[in-house]
Amino acid sequence: MSNTELPSQGLLTDPVRNPSSATEPVRTKRAFLLILLTLLVPGSAQIVAGDRKLGRTALRVTLSAWLLAVLALVLLFINRTLLINIITNPVASLLIILVLTALAVGWLVLFINTLRLIRPVLLPARTRPAVVIALVLAMVASSGSLGYAAYLLNVSRNAIGSIFNAGPAIDPVDGRYNFLMMGGDAGADRTGRRPDSLSVLSVDAETGQTAIISVPRNLQNARFSEGSPMLQVYPDGYNCGDECLINAINTEVTNEHKDLYPGVADPGAQATLEAVSGTLGITVQAYVLVDMDGFAKLIDAMGGIRIKAGGWVPISGDMVDEANGIHGMPLGWIPAGEQKLDGYHALWYGRSREFVDDYARIQRQQCVQQAMLKQLDPATLLAKFEDIANAGTKVVDSNISSSQLGSFVDLAMKAKGKDIKRLTIGPPDFDASFSTVPDFDIIHDRVQKLLASASSESSPAAAPAGTVPDGTAPADTVLQPGSLPGNGLSAAGPLAGLPATTPAPAPSSPSDFTPVTTTPEGEPITEEMLNQFKREGNEQAIRDLVATNGQCAPL
């Protein structure tokens, strides 16, 4: 035998490259080995058993993809913000989508080529189905996963483009980012969106420590911040009478003063932001507006939220006596105790104010916000990403720049697990009448003390959420005329002589309360009992039984 015949002879007897010369058990093992090689090291099956040129090209692509994956992993640990900014950048994300799609198609081609190399006709009939199933599963796990990742990234890209703008980035002020969260009740019969709830989410730019400051929608004489165009119309504050509530600014500016905000996408929202800034004495840099009619879809997309409710909350029927704020028979009730709320019930839990005042509703709205922040963990986000993203595009509008999403997502991750400090410009932190004649010096002082306590992890983070920053009195204490616990200021003037409210006793911490599930006589409160009082016209009995429904804690 000549030397030139030896390689040819070896090639013909090599069971990897020429399975026809191998036994059936070897052919079966070879088939599964080639599938495994294509799954773990795309291109290696072609190197050992097929077109080496194709294999070398595929291996180069595989090694390049591994290097990029390692780089992304390194960035995740050393510069997570940069990684998120790359992924959320519209140009970079489009490039990543194209690369993922190309890799998915290329991997699919390699699996098809691997099937040709396996030559199923040479396999025993009893093993062919197992080999085909293994190959299909490997294709789904590899190529299918890459394709699905590209699809989700495209969903995310579209959602980011729909919700956020491409404007300039914002800088922290005094070390904090302040976002105005507005719940709007826009409808087909309304021009302009009237915020049903207003709260500022203040986040420490370094630690993520968060504080929520709620502004009642009926606050009067709101002050506009320095430089606001609305100072031309209301230089002394929004003081045109009882109708000039802070939640009316959005609609008024949209309908009558849009010309003061040339080039601004939503003049009403911007003017409301300026009013909240001036009222609280801080710089609010951006807003997020959630349409409450679509809010339920976002909660449903998350799989619901879990709360501990302090008292029963009605799902109100139609208004039958608008002058006295009396509704018809409730459509249902949300019981006290631990509850998992779907979107419909979460919306009503945060929106209902029948039988109680606006301040109980504000407390519940804060609780719903906290429950969403607490329960939107990575596992939930990944499992329900598409539904959450699609719901978000329908209910959320914001002037936050998409270029900063990386920074803000990173801050949100830092904030996980930290206590959220809270303040309401009304009960339980101020007298109920305070919002009618607010003292802005007092508001500014209380806000600054709250933010000082939430400025870093080293400040009184050990104190329960909801305490006044200097620790002298709980923030859940209702301010009575003549005294302001924790700041030593006298309430003489705007607060003097105002009637004090008597809400339910404040718990020592936001979650330290016992839900009211029985009457004072010990009889269990039921939906039928509450409805019977309603049918009898005994609304006071209902008010007594549901007086604690402002108490709430996320689970």
Side-chain angles (χ1 to χ4, degrees):
M1 182 180 293
S2 68
N3 290 337
T4 57
E5 293 174 329
L6 288 176
S8 177
Q9 188 71 19
L11 183 65
L12 292 174
T13 58
D14 181 0
V16 177
R17 300 196 71 85
N18 188 13
S20 58
S21 63
T23 62
E24 287 187 351
V26 171
R27 293 173 188 169
T28 301
K29 291 178 182 178
R30 172 184 177 274
F32 285 110
L33 177 63
L34 291 178
I35 293 173
L36 189 62
L37 286 173
T38 305
L39 177 64
L40 300 179
V41 189
S44 58
Q46 283 67 33
I47 291 287
V48 301
D51 184 344
R52 288 193 174 95
K53 183 178 180 181
L54 174 63
R56 285 192 293 269
T57 301
L59 277 177
R60 292 190 189 100
V61 175
T62 298
L63 291 175
S64 299
W66 284 354
L67 286 174
L68 290 174
V70 170
L71 177 60
L73 190 62
V74 171
L75 284 177
L76 179 64
F77 288 101
I78 67 172
N79 197 337
R80 185 169 55 193
T81 299
L82 176 60
L83 177 62
I84 299 173
N85 279 334
I86 291 172
I87 295 174
T88 55
N89 180 275
V91 176
S93 62
L94 178 59
L95 181 60
I96 295 172
I97 291 168
L98 294 176
V99 169
L100 289 175
T101 302
L103 290 175
V105 172
W107 216 340
L108 179 63
V109 169
L110 289 178
F111 271 111
I112 294 173
N113 183 261
T114 298
L115 180 63
R116 183 184 66 81
L117 297 178
I118 289 171
R119 296 169 67 178
V121 295
L122 297 179
L123 298 175
R126 65 182 180 278
T127 62
R128 290 174 192 168
V131 169
V132 172
I133 291 173
L135 185 131
V136 170
L137 291 176
M139 288 171 58
V140 171
S142 55
S143 182
S145 296
L146 286 180
Y148 189 60
Y151 171 72
L152 290 183
L153 187 55
N154 188 55
V155 170
S156 172
R157 183 173 181 272
N158 292 335
I160 290 170
S162 174
I163 296 172
F164 302 100
N165 68 29
I170 58 175
D171 295 319
V173 176
D174 297 327
R176 304 191 72 83
Y177 290 107
N178 300 313
F179 306 100
L180 174 61
M181 315 293 289
M182 294 183 282
D185 61 348
D189 59 339
R190 293 192 180 103
T191 303
R193 191 159 14 190
R194 185 179 58 204
D196 206 36
S197 66
L198 297 165
S199 59
V200 171
L201 200 67
S202 181
V203 186
D204 187 283
E206 294 296 328
T207 68
Q209 183 71 52
T210 303
I212 296 178
I213 308 168
S214 293
V215 179
R217 68 192 186 106
N218 63 345
L219 184 134
Q220 296 185 28
N221 304 318
R223 300 290 177 84
F224 291 100
S225 58
E226 184 178 352
S228 170
M230 285 299 289
L231 288 174
Q232 302 175 36
V233 184
Y234 297 105
D236 299 319
Y238 194 51
N239 59 354
C240 56
D242 293 344
E243 297 301 315
C244 272
L245 309 180
I246 194 169
N247 78 325
I249 292 173
N250 194 315
T251 301
E252 179 174 333
V253 171
T254 300
N255 293 343
E256 301 177 21
H257 305 297
K258 191 182 298 186
D259 58 307
L260 296 177
Y261 292 86
V264 176
D266 191 336
Q270 179 62 31
T272 304
L273 179 149
E274 293 162 359
V276 172
S277 293
T279 296
L280 300 182
I282 59 177
T283 299
V284 181
Q285 299 105 315
Y287 65 82
V288 177
L289 202 156
V290 178
D291 181 68
M292 300 304 287
D293 286 334
F295 178 73
K297 296 177 183 177
L298 189 57
I299 298 288
D300 284 334
M302 289 176 55
I305 56 171
R306 299 178 302 279
I307 62 161
K308 181 172 77 169
W312 286 66
V313 175
I315 300 173
S316 299
D318 294 333
M319 184 77 72
V320 295
D321 183 352
E322 190 166 351
N324 296 305
I326 297 177
H327 294 259
M329 184 64 66
L331 304 177
W333 291 84
I334 300 169
E338 294 188 4
Q339 305 291 335
K340 182 174 182 179
L341 304 178
D342 60 16
Y344 173 79
H345 290 90
L347 175 61
W348 267 108
Y349 188 76
R351 167 179 267 177
S352 177
R353 63 177 179 269
E354 191 177 3
F355 307 117
V356 292
D357 58 23
D358 262 345
Y359 302 104
R361 179 172 72 160
I362 288 174
Q363 290 176 278
R364 283 185 263 114
Q365 288 170 350
Q366 287 182 340
C367 182
V368 169
Q369 291 170 352
Q370 291 178 75
M372 292 179 68
L373 292 173
K374 181 177 181 179
Q375 293 161 33
L376 190 58
D377 51 39
T380 302
L381 185 60
L382 288 174
K384 302 177 181 296
F385 180 82
E386 183 179 358
D387 289 339
I388 291 172
N390 288 333
T393 61
K394 296 179 177 65
V395 304
V396 180
D397 183 26
S398 177
N399 66 345
I400 295 175
S401 171
S402 58
S403 66
Q404 286 190 283
L405 289 182
S407 301
F408 297 148
V409 170
D410 190 43
L411 279 179
M413 292 178 179
K414 290 180 181 179
K416 291 295 265 187
K418 290 184 171 67
D419 286 337
I420 298 177
K421 300 179 183 295
R422 297 182 291 175
L423 177 68
T424 300
I425 312 303
D429 301 316
F430 291 86
D431 183 271
S433 300
F434 184 74
S435 61
T436 304
V437 282
D439 185 316
F440 295 100
D441 290 335
I442 293 174
I443 293 175
H444 296 174
D445 183 76
R446 288 292 299 274
V447 168
Q448 290 303 318
K449 285 179 179 290
L450 176 78
L451 298 186
S453 74
S455 62
S456 71
E457 293 176 316
S458 60
S459 55
T467 56
V468 171
D470 62 9
T472 57
D476 286 337
T477 302
V478 175
L479 301 187
Q480 304 297 336
S483 67
L484 286 172
N487 59 19
L489 297 176
S490 170
L495 288 180
L498 293 179
T501 58
T502 311
S508 58
S509 74
S511 60
D512 183 19
F513 62 86
T514 300
V516 176
T517 58
T518 62
T519 66
E521 293 75 27
E523 183 180 356
I525 299 174
T526 65
E527 183 169 345
E528 178 53 37
M529 173 190 291
L530 295 169
N531 285 340
Q532 182 59 36
F533 283 132
K534 180 67 176 178
R535 282 189 286 267
E536 294 171 356
N538 191 355
E539 300 217 348
Q540 185 57 51
I542 301 176
R543 292 190 185 94
D544 293 340
L545 293 179
V546 306
T548 58
N549 78 13
Q551 294 178 346
C552 175
L555 296 177

